[in-house]
Amino acid sequence: MASISNAFSLSLPSNRIANSSSDFNPITSALSGLDSGEFSPGRVAVSKPSGIGGRICANATPVMDQPVGEKSSGAPTIVEVDLGNRSYPIYIGSGLFDQPELLQKHVHGKKVIVVTNTTIAPLYLDKVVEALTKGNTAVSVEYVILPDGEKFKDMDTLMKVFDKAIESRLDRRCTFVALGGGVIGDMCGFAAASFLVNFIQIPTTVMAQVDSSVGGKTGINHPLGKNLIGAFYQPQCVLIDTDTLDTLPDRELASGLAEVIKYGLIRDAEFFQWQEKNMEKLIARNPNALAYAIKRSCENKAEVVSFDEKESGLRATLNLGHTFGHAIETGFGYGQWLHGEAVAAGMVSCHGC
Ligand SMILES: NC(=O)c1ccc[n+]([C@@H]2O[C@H](COP(=O)([O-])OP(=O)(O)OC[C@H]3O[C@@H](n4cnc5c(N)ncnc54)[C@H](O)[C@@H]3O)[C@@H](O)[C@H]2O)c1
Ligand SMILES: [Zn+2]
């Protein structure tokens, strides 16, 4: 338990939350509920309605003794999001930007617009453009670089994507590519939904890799509330090159781990136990521990989404901690608290309800 508490003492800004060891220790207090039997997570036993077909995606193999060693590149791990004719793969692995065929087979049309921001563009835009075009002269790639931050997840910034698409004379046979964290993924996805074009998610934060890039929720904030304007719109694929996490700031890493812990709390007790054993490795960015946490999180999200794509029931469990979390984010001003920080506090608040 101590190790999961450590994730949150990293995650929650010390100037806003009192000392984790004494006054406020969110996961320890969440776990005390587990110990006393007040809240007992487990895998939700859901069975796929007959007639829909497809496979259940979450991995049911034991997780406690997963090896966590050195980074290994090669063929990606693939998690399927099973949504009938809107199904798509999530590719997870190291060195995936060097495997252009993964991206290229999901591009529709001859024109691509990469949507990214001022922080991510200098780090990864060239690599992604190369992956999209290597050995493929049939496609032309343009890009739009948005300002960075939750406070720009708004209508004015979204309009810059449409400006670029219209100036470039794009028609419906083109592909948008979201390169970045959850803010870019949510905005690019919503732009694609509105422009009625295909899109690809290339998430570069833990938050986006374990949660926001999967499941097709897209949208923007309104001054009065988070994510109030949006659409359900599924990508063609999600490509998670875990090497991108090498440049992610510690605070962002810890913020993303809040959503990983959420899966353990809402539906995957074995994964939660694995997290308890491996949290220090996750915080230390052990590549295989991170890859495993991403895979397991995607499996959980894929399974929930495949049962309830548009949140008429089960999918709402993914919102654990989010009512309070969104209030914190909106109340303090977008970007003051990171999304995962606010959700972590929200999950603790829920425990006290
Ligand atoms: N659609 C969904 O289902 C869903 C789920 C969870 C969260 N979200 C949304 O996601 C957003 C939060 O996403 P986030 O935590 O990724 O925040 P973010 O997109 O703001 O990214 C965090 C910061 O990290 C930077 N960054 C991203 N990748 C980097 C990298 N590899 N190296 C260095 N810096 C990098 C970004 O530029 C940004 O400054 C919120 O708006 C939240 O509402 C949506
Ligand atoms: Zn969230």
Side-chain angles (χ1 to χ4, degrees), residues 25 65 75 152 208 222 227 264 273 279 324 330 346 351:
N25 195 330
D65 299 317
F152 296 109
H222 184 276
N227 297 341
Q273 288 173 293
M279 189 50 71
F324 283 101
T330 309
H351 173 68

Side-chain angles (χ1 to χ4, degrees), residues 4-13 16 27 150 181-183 205-212 226 245 248-263 275 279 282-283 285 290 297 320 322 325 329 335-347:
I4 288 192
S5 305
N6 286 344
F8 278 86
S9 53
L10 248 183
S11 166
L12 297 169
R16 298 192 186 93
I27 287 300
E150 183 74 37
V183 168
T205 61
V206 173
M207 171 67 62
Q209 295 180 353
V210 303
D211 195 349
S212 63
K226 276 273 297 176
L245 299 182
L248 191 68
D250 286 344
R251 187 177 163 197
E252 300 292 348
L253 180 96
S255 170
L257 291 178
E259 304 276 15
V260 174
I261 292 167
K262 177 189 77 179
Y263 295 115
Q275 292 169 25
M279 189 50 71
L282 291 172
I283 291 169
R285 297 166 193 253
L290 279 172
S297 299
L320 177 69
H322 283 63
E329 288 183 84
Q336 293 302 304
W337 282 53
L338 301 184
H339 178 68
E341 294 169 348
V343 167
M347 289 194 284

Side-chain angles (χ1 to χ4, degrees), residues 117 119-120 123-124 148 150 153 181-183 186 204-205 207-208 211-212 217 226-227 244 247-249 252 259 301 339:
N117 74 23
T119 304
I120 299 152
L123 296 170
Y124 301 113
D148 183 6
E150 183 74 37
K153 188 175 153 182
V183 168
D186 282 8
T204 60
T205 61
M207 171 67 62
D211 195 349
S212 63
K217 247 193 200 181
K226 276 273 297 176
N227 297 341
T244 56
T247 54
L248 191 68
E252 300 292 348
E259 304 276 15
K301 181 134 188 199
H339 178 68

